[in-house]
Each structure stands twice: as structure tokens, then as C-alpha cells.
Amino acid sequence: MSARLVPAGGDRTGRRPDVPLRITVDGEPVDGVAGQTLAGVLLAAGRRAWRRGPSGAPRGVFCGIGACFDCLLTVNGARDVRACRRRARDGDVVATQSRDAR
């Protein structure tokens, strides 16, 4: 999966108005664009992993369609949110998590 965001000016249809948003990930602000998933915001910000599996291996987006559960985050206090399925909303508070931290 690409870790970049194509600028609105590069959109050949010319109909994509980028509406900026900001989320907080582990206490740090991360900027994105309305319509991106949480995984998309994190990837565009250069973060390819945001969770650790039981073995300690880094995890991020694997399947990108919500089938594998590798991209889990805590969002606004709700654990186990799939980052590839949840659209980012301005003001979301996101925390990374590990499978063994319950």
C-alpha cells in the first residue's frame, strides 16, 4: 500500500476538494484529509506500523479490507477499531495498542 497522498491538484477529474482534518495519535497531531481512513492518514504521514503482535513484531495494514485485524487501534476510547475500515474524523483521539495489553 502506498504511503503517500496524491495532492488534489493531481486529481484528473478536478472535482476533489480536500478538506483538512487533524487527529491525535499517541498524543501527537497528525494531519489528513476528509474521506481518508485512519490507516490512510497514518500511511500518508509515513507511519507503516502502529501495533505490536504477541511476538513483538510490528503490525500495520496487511489486507486493507478489514479481514485480518492487523491494523487495530483504540479510537476515542474504543479498543480494537480496524484502521482500514474507519474513516478519520476531525478531532479523533487515537492510541496504538498491543494484543497482549488488555
Side-chain angles (χ1 to χ4, degrees):
M1 199 170 263
S2 176
R4 67 185 180 96
L5 176 66
V6 176
D11 178 17
R12 293 182 185 183
T13 68
R15 292 184 250 157
R16 194 183 96 202
D18 281 355
V19 177
L21 60 81
R22 176 168 283 176
I23 64 174
T24 303
V25 181
D26 293 333
E28 295 189 24
V30 179
D31 294 323
V33 177
Q36 284 182 296
T37 62
L38 289 168
V41 171
L42 292 169
L43 287 170
R47 295 183 90 172
R48 296 185 347 162
W50 50 83
R51 189 175 77 79
R52 298 258 173 210
S55 68
R59 307 309 246 178
V61 173
F62 179 70
C63 73
I65 60 171
C68 72
F69 297 90
D70 268 353
C71 63
L72 297 177
L73 294 167
T74 298
V75 182
N76 302 325
R79 284 186 56 86
D80 300 333
V81 175
R82 289 178 276 182
C84 67
R85 302 279 301 164
R86 165 75 155 61
R87 295 223 184 256
R89 296 183 194 128
D90 193 42
D92 276 344
V93 177
V94 177
T96 55
Q97 66 183 51
S98 295
R99 284 183 59 187
D100 58 343
R102 289 264 172 200

